[in-house]
Amino acid sequence: MAQAQGTAHWDENHSRGFLDNGRYFVPERERQIGIIADLIPQPAPGNLLVELCPGEGLLSRALLERFPDCHVLALDGSAQMLEQTRATCRDQAGRLTTAAFELAQRDWRRFAEPPHAVVSSLAIHHLDGRQKQELFADLAAALKPGGVLVVADIVRPPTASGLDIAARQWDEAVRMRALAIDGDLAAFAEFNRLGWNYFRNPDGEPIDKPSSLAEQLSWLAQAGFTEVDCAWLFAGHAIFSGRKP
Ligand SMILES: C[S@@+](CC[C@H](N)C(=O)[O-])C[C@H]1O[C@@H](n2cnc3c(N)ncnc32)[C@H](O)[C@@H]1O
């Protein structure tokens, strides 16, 4: 995730870079989107699903398609990303609300209607450990009973060997993806040029603050979630969730 820009906050240059490269750089992107949706228990008609930091809106679109009786609220700090989300979801525009927010702030965490699910992909690692714990606790309070929080994100292996395995798997995933999409390794060369593989230089970018998977699972449990589990892990990217009792 390193952006090779050295800034501590996400800005519109980061958004542009991610819009350009996300389809190459996110490992098993379509599979991840499917698993996140699979982890949401069947909602009742009219239920609210919230996506934090939708980026270009692929997951929001998948949720709108999978759950045709639900409404999606997509919150992002980037005007460019919100515009892109609206464009990606234009066929379901009547069931999508978008709004600007700051992930680290707490004012948005009270919803007019308790959500059935809150999901987020590749964003919560921009919060530090204390902020993640606060977020999990606030979302546990905000969700409907029986609702879920599903997080897809990079997680920091606690050992050098874990970092090395994650780094090599991510390189390989991007290589394969570049070849599959373009038939050449130009996108993989760009991944290397940008220094995007967080696991090769985990302390290199102040904007990236992944916590370990074990820590985050324990923080979900401490926040009061049950059925806390990791459903998928590859190349240092994990999908984990908890259910509000
Ligand atoms: C790496 S992109 C991931 C986009 C998308 N969820 C995906 O998985 O493809 C990170 C997203 O988080 C948003 N973001 C990052 N930091 C944020 C913050 N502090 N407040 C609000 N949005 C933020 C960015 O605008 C961007 O849409």
Side-chain angles (χ1 to χ4, degrees):
M1 290 305 293
Q3 311 282 320
Q5 293 174 355
T7 57
H9 296 285
W10 187 277
D11 61 29
E12 295 296 343
N13 289 325
H14 293 111
S15 291
R16 186 67 264 151
F18 194 81
L19 288 170
D20 290 343
N21 295 312
R23 71 185 186 285
Y24 302 104
F25 295 179
V26 180
E28 300 198 7
R29 198 178 207 190
E30 294 75 18
R31 176 174 295 178
Q32 289 201 54
I33 288 171
I35 292 170
I36 295 165
D38 287 345
L39 286 166
I40 299 175
Q42 186 59 41
N47 273 177
L48 173 67
L49 312 176
V50 177
E51 181 174 7
L52 310 179
C53 304
E56 67 188 278
L58 300 175
L59 174 57
S60 280
R61 182 173 66 192
L63 298 181
L64 287 161
E65 288 172 355
R66 172 88 69 106
F67 303 114
D69 295 326
C70 288
H71 195 99
V72 170
L73 169 63
L75 303 170
D76 203 289
S78 159
Q80 206 177 164
M81 291 303 207
L82 287 170
E83 188 183 331
Q84 189 58 50
T85 292
R86 287 189 289 271
T88 301
C89 301
R90 60 184 165 274
D91 290 348
Q92 296 88 7
R95 290 186 293 118
L96 175 76
T97 303
T98 58
F101 88 144
E102 164 50 54
L103 179 62
Q105 284 175 1
R106 304 181 78 176
D107 53 347
W108 56 268
R109 299 178 190 172
R110 284 168 177 241
F111 302 93
E113 172 201 342
H116 174 72
V118 178
V119 303
S120 185
S121 165
L122 289 173
I124 291 175
H125 69 272
H126 295 307
L127 301 178
D128 65 24
R130 184 191 56 77
Q131 291 172 319
K132 290 187 190 90
Q133 291 178 70
E134 205 170 74
L135 176 71
F136 294 168
D138 288 346
L139 293 178
L143 278 162
K144 238 178 154 67
V148 288
L149 169 62
V150 185
V151 179
D153 212 349
I154 54 171
V155 292
R156 181 170 180 151
T159 63
S161 54
L163 283 166
D164 187 49
I165 291 165
R168 283 187 279 122
Q169 287 183 335
W170 199 358
D171 276 353
E172 189 51 22
V174 178
R175 275 178 61 88
M176 301 297 287
R177 189 76 168 181
L179 288 172
I181 294 175
D182 294 332
D184 63 42
L185 290 174
F188 180 59
E190 184 68 356
F191 181 71
N192 286 323
R193 189 187 72 76
L194 292 170
W196 200 284
N197 194 330
Y198 163 81
F199 304 104
R200 296 220 173 278
N201 183 18
D203 298 313
E205 280 294 330
I207 196 172
D208 294 327
K209 301 163 212 165
S211 303
S212 74
L213 176 60
E215 278 176 313
Q216 294 187 79
L217 297 180
S218 75
W219 294 338
L220 287 179
Q222 280 163 24
F225 286 100
T226 59
E227 303 176 13
V228 172
D229 199 12
C230 174
W232 178 88
L233 171 66
F234 174 64
H237 292 62
I239 300 176
F240 53 97
S241 61
R243 187 164 187 167
K244 177 164 173 169

